[in-house]
Amino acid sequence: MQQEKPDVCFCSLALGKRYRSHAFLLAQDIEKHSPGIYLIVLTDKPQEFKKYPNVLAFKHEQQSIGCYHDKRFVIAKAISLFNTCIFVDADIRILEKLQPDMKWLPGITARSCTSIVKHNHAYINSVNDAYKANRTRDLTILSKLAQKLDLDLEDTNIQFVMEMLFVVTRQDGREIEFLKHWETIALYCELNGFYGAEGYAIGLAAAKAGLPVRWDAMDGIVYFKDWVERQKIKKGQANPDTTLIYFQQHEAIEYRQNSISQKLARKLNKFIGYYYRSLCLRLATLNNFNFYYDRIL
């Protein structure tokens, strides 16, 4: 009897050598623990993933200024191929088998989320006074954006979604509307200089599209994320010896030595890329001038 094809996949974004290196380890983890489950990767060099049979790699060049909002393109590709996609940051490690009995309800399932109202309070108060002015400005941008979207930021049903691990499952085309709204939100935030707003964008876009956001502990996904694990160790909830090898592999990639020429090339590419994508952003937003430029900061 032919085995039923899984209707779920992992997916990630891997742009640049550092994140491709992380994604190689992620691909090996998934093949080891959950053979038959694909990893969808959007990357600048898909040919480097040819040796991983469980990876479907697609060519992608960075679109958003801060790169963070490019995660929406990953979701778009993965959800076009599978009913459910599990987005993970490229530097996450999967430590055990994906439990086959996990059932994903339509919409978004988040490993970590909270109401935007609650998150805004933490967003302001988690930094010292030197950074509070910038964060206050970020929330002013979100407030004006919410007004344009006819959303109430005081609505406790609108969620901030921690984007390192979340799941999207098809729901009668609402997932497509969600991605369209995410694009609108991403362009507005980046136009105003708020580049790292993807957690907000996910929640606001879901609310606008009528796509439910649910919290789930996701006990069936056992993973390693460096800063999450450090918090667990600090609280006495984890044994540092157990995940030492993962810390070592992570740091070997993060702190890899580059030559002076490589560093200069990277800085030049970053400089050119920033201004090129800024120009593309300006051109793209001209198509809806009243939305993006009316009462802009």
Side-chain angles (χ1 to χ4, degrees):
M1 181 180 295
Q2 187 176 6
Q3 187 176 5
E4 185 178 355
K5 179 183 176 182
D7 206 17
V8 60
C9 70
F10 285 97
C11 60
S12 193
L13 179 68
L15 299 177
K17 183 177 181 179
R18 177 158 58 107
Y19 287 104
R20 292 196 305 273
S21 297
H22 282 304
F24 297 155
L25 294 176
L26 174 61
Q28 293 170 26
D29 291 341
I30 295 171
E31 178 65 17
K32 175 183 178 181
H33 297 296
S34 295
I37 301 294
Y38 280 105
L39 170 64
I40 309 300
V41 176
L42 264 60
T43 177
D44 48 338
K45 293 189 176 182
Q47 66 275 13
E48 292 190 1
F49 289 87
K50 286 184 178 179
K51 62 182 178 181
Y52 301 101
N54 63 324
V55 173
L56 298 178
F58 299 91
K59 178 73 173 178
H60 179 77
E61 297 294 341
Q62 183 177 338
Q63 301 294 310
S64 56
I65 294 176
C67 196
Y68 307 106
H69 289 290
D70 277 32
K71 294 173 182 179
R72 72 184 189 273
F73 298 109
V74 179
I75 299 298
K77 173 56 73 173
I79 206 69
S80 72
L81 299 172
F82 293 85
N83 187 65
T84 295
C85 62
I86 305 169
F87 180 89
V88 292
D89 280 347
D91 63 350
I92 274 182
R93 304 295 300 277
I94 301 299
L95 308 184
E96 293 183 12
K97 179 181 180 180
L98 178 66
Q99 296 303 307
D101 59 346
M102 296 186 75
K103 303 298 182 184
W104 304 108
L105 294 174
I108 296 174
T109 305
R111 175 63 183 83
S112 178
C113 64
T114 188
S115 70
I116 281 183
V117 174
K118 184 176 180 180
H119 181 78
N120 283 351
H121 180 75
Y123 187 71
I124 291 292
N125 293 298
S126 62
V127 295
N128 59 40
D129 292 341
Y131 296 97
K132 284 188 177 181
N134 288 338
R135 293 203 166 186
T136 299
R137 180 182 180 277
D138 292 342
L139 297 190
T140 300
I141 293 168
L142 287 174
S143 179
K144 291 190 174 184
L145 173 60
Q147 292 176 23
K148 289 174 176 288
L149 295 171
D150 295 322
L151 295 174
D152 181 6
L153 285 184
E154 298 299 315
D155 184 349
T156 56
N157 291 315
I158 301 179
Q159 300 290 300
F160 173 91
V161 176
M162 181 62 72
E163 68 287 342
M164 69 171 184
L165 170 58
F166 66 99
V167 179
V168 179
T169 299
R170 294 174 185 168
Q171 184 175 346
D172 302 324
R174 290 188 184 183
E175 70 282 355
I176 306 302
E177 292 300 312
F178 157 73
L179 291 167
K180 291 178 180 178
H181 290 305
W182 186 348
E183 178 176 6
T184 299
I185 294 164
L187 295 179
Y188 187 90
C189 287
E190 291 210 314
L191 191 64
N192 285 276
F194 188 10
Y195 302 128
E198 75 272 35
Y200 284 108
I202 294 169
L204 291 171
K208 190 64 178 176
L211 197 66
V213 177
R214 306 176 182 87
W215 175 85
D216 193 293
M218 297 188 191
D219 294 329
I221 303 177
V222 182
Y223 69 96
F224 167 87
K225 176 75 172 179
D226 61 316
W227 65 266
V228 173
E229 196 66 23
R230 286 192 183 95
Q231 288 184 341
K232 290 181 179 178
I233 292 171
K234 185 177 181 180
K235 295 177 181 178
Q237 299 172 348
N239 181 353
D241 294 333
T242 304
T243 52
L244 178 60
I245 183 62
Y246 299 109
F247 277 114
Q248 291 173 337
Q249 291 174 335
H250 182 272
E251 290 171 4
I253 294 171
E254 289 293 303
Y255 303 111
R256 180 179 293 160
Q257 294 296 317
N258 293 315
S259 66
I260 294 177
S261 61
Q262 288 174 324
K263 292 178 181 178
L264 289 174
R266 182 178 178 182
K267 287 184 178 180
L268 180 61
N269 288 335
K270 185 176 181 179
F271 177 82
I272 295 173
Y274 172 82
Y275 284 101
Y276 171 75
R277 286 186 287 274
S278 295
L279 176 60
C280 291
L281 173 64
R282 295 283 176 178
L283 293 175
T285 52
L286 288 176
N287 291 328
N288 193 351
F289 187 89
N290 289 336
F291 181 89
Y292 289 110
Y293 292 93
D294 177 35
R295 293 186 295 124
I296 197 169
L297 295 180

